[in-house]
């Protein structure tokens, strides 16, 4: 009996050592310690053992059982550790791999140009204000010296909401709102969207943006207007930019002018960009018409002012050399991310 137990134990230990994986280990457990296992059957055959030998044999069986269990457990722990290590190896992250880049949004060229314009004028002490896009005919036209039958009303094809209310055709309407507030002096720019019933093409859109400027104070002169806008042109298009003022007509300014900048592409020699002219028109401006001041409650004998209006898209197109305005409205990320 003793020898049988000894060989049983040795064979169990040998099989445990030979096991290659967890399942094989479990098979060994079942084969020796299971209900029908070999060690169990030794216990069952105790009835054949002489009663005086039973305690001794029982103790030996228990010892064998304990030893087999102990070795089984050690081997199991070793297997599990190995498995964990293999799994870790498989799941290792290579932190040096380049990450997938998420698609980023981009600032629109209009926004970049506007922020640049705002930076320039804020630097000169201007305030940035906003006015309504849905506007009374009065603010868009009448208070700007464009009465009912004035031809300028036809020039700016207007979207009418009803007889008295329009989608503003120009940010100049904001001038009137600011002057009506009665807080003088005024030094403001007013960026915003404007609407005209134009067909879409490379240079037109039914909705676009303007930046309006207005200065009202005592002793303001046309030289102030010129100096301000010259400084603006240099900052936005480069230090070498020259400006030229051509007489023009706007109903709400007198005198009025359009300002051209020297072509920053050819430096004024004439190229495809400036259509051979050497100059590019960028804004309208003038001294605020006394009648406009008067209508908004400002005494033209005490105060004078100048105003200007810039097309924002025009600045963005020129600055970034974009040749079709429609690109600005399609919002194709491949286009936008170039700026
Ligand atoms: N509102 C004019 C337009 O849309 C632009 C303009 C010209 C604005 C002269 C002004 C100005 O303030 O003084 O064509």
């Amino acid at each position: 009996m003793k020898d049988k137990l000894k060989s049983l134990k040795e064979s169990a230990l040998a099989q445990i050592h030979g096991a290659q994986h967890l399942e094989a280990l479990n098979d060994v457990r079942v084969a020796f310690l299971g209900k029908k296992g070999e060690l169990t059957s030794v216990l069952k055959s105790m009835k054949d053992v002489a009663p005086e030998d039973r305690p001794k044999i029982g103790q030996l069986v228990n010892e064998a059982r304990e030893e087999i269990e102990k070795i089984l457990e050690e081997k199991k722990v070793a297997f599990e550790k190995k498995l964990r290590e293999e799994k870790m190896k498989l799941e290792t992250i290579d932190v040096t791999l380049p990450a997938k880049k998420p698609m980023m949004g981009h600032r629109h060229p209009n926004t970049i140009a506007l922020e640049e314009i705002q930076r320039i004028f804020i630097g000169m002490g201007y305030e940035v204000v906003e006015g309504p896009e849905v506007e009374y005919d009065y603010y868009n036209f009448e208070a700007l010296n464009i009465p009912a039958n004035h031809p300028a009303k036809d020039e700016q094809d207007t979207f009418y909401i009803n007889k008295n209310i329009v989608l503003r055709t120009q940010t100049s309407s904001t001038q009137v709102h600011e002057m009506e507030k009665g807080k003088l002096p005024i030094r403001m720019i007013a960026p915003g969207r404007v609407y005209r019933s134009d067909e879409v093409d490379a240079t037109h859109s039914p909705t676009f943006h303007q930046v309006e400027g207005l200065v009202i104070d005592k002793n303001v002169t046309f030289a102030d207007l010129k100096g301000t806008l010259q400084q603006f042109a240099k900052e936005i298009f480069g230090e070498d930019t020259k400006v030229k003022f051509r007489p023009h007509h706007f109903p709400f300014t007198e005198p009025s002018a359009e300002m051209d900048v020297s072509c920053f592409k050819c430096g004024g020699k004439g190229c495809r960009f400036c259509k051979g002219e050497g100059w590019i028109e960028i804004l309208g401006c003038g001294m605020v018409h006394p009648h406009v001041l008067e209508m908004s409650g400002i005494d033209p004998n005490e105060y004078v002012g100048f105003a200007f209006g810039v097309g924002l898209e025009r600045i963005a197109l020129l600055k970034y050399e974009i040749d079709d305005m429609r690109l600005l409205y399609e919002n194709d990320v491949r286009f936008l991310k170039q700026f």
Side-chain angles (χ1 to χ4, degrees), residues 49-237:
V49 176
E52 65 270 25
D53 291 335
R54 277 180 201 166
K56 179 84 186 134
I57 301 292
Q59 193 194 342
L60 285 176
V61 172
N62 278 340
E63 277 171 14
R65 183 182 193 88
E66 272 167 23
E67 176 143 19
I68 295 173
E69 274 178 347
K70 191 180 136 224
I71 306 292
L72 267 173
E73 187 57 29
E74 280 172 13
K75 186 84 175 175
K76 190 176 153 222
V77 168
F79 268 143
E80 284 171 350
K81 184 170 171 236
K82 209 171 125 204
L83 275 177
R84 257 200 319 276
E85 283 170 0
E86 276 167 11
K87 196 164 168 238
M88 290 282 274
K89 223 179 254 169
L90 280 178
E91 292 177 354
T92 316
I93 299 167
D94 182 354
V95 290
T96 65
L97 275 179
K100 265 194 195 157
K101 270 201 191 144
M103 278 277 256
M104 296 287 279
H106 284 269
R107 280 195 308 164
H108 194 278
N110 267 357
T111 310
I112 304 175
L114 176 57
E115 286 176 357
E116 176 77 4
I117 294 171
Q118 288 180 340
R119 185 190 61 75
I120 295 169
F121 282 102
I122 288 170
M124 295 196 256
Y126 285 60
E127 195 186 343
V128 180
V129 304
E130 271 182 47
E133 291 176 22
V134 179
E135 188 59 281
Y136 285 108
D137 180 288
Y138 174 79
Y139 287 92
N140 195 76
F141 294 120
E142 221 167 300
L144 289 165
N145 222 8
I146 312 171
N149 298 318
H150 198 285
K153 248 178 141 166
D154 297 332
E155 279 163 30
Q156 302 185 353
D157 291 312
T158 312
F159 287 116
Y160 279 89
I161 303 249
N162 64 33
K163 213 170 125 282
N164 295 319
I165 299 177
V166 301
L167 294 182
R168 69 176 175 195
T169 61
Q170 49 186 354
T171 45
S172 304
S173 51
T174 323
Q175 290 188 27
V176 183
H177 288 289
E178 284 306 298
M179 290 189 288
E180 277 188 352
K181 286 183 187 164
K183 272 188 14 211
L184 296 169
I186 295 170
R187 204 172 256 102
M188 68 98 182
I189 57 167
R193 187 175 283 145
V194 299
Y195 302 83
R196 291 184 198 178
S197 64
D198 275 329
E199 295 287 338
V200 174
D201 65 24
T203 54
H204 291 88
S205 160
T207 153
F208 57 102
H209 301 78
Q210 291 184 329
V211 183
E212 194 74 17
L214 176 70
V215 171
I216 308 270
D217 206 342
K218 291 173 179 165
N219 306 317
V220 174
T221 67
F222 200 90
D224 295 320
L225 163 65
K226 279 173 75 176
T228 302
L229 294 178
Q230 179 180 39
Q231 183 58 25
F232 163 66
K234 280 178 183 292
E235 285 201 43
I236 199 135
F237 293 118

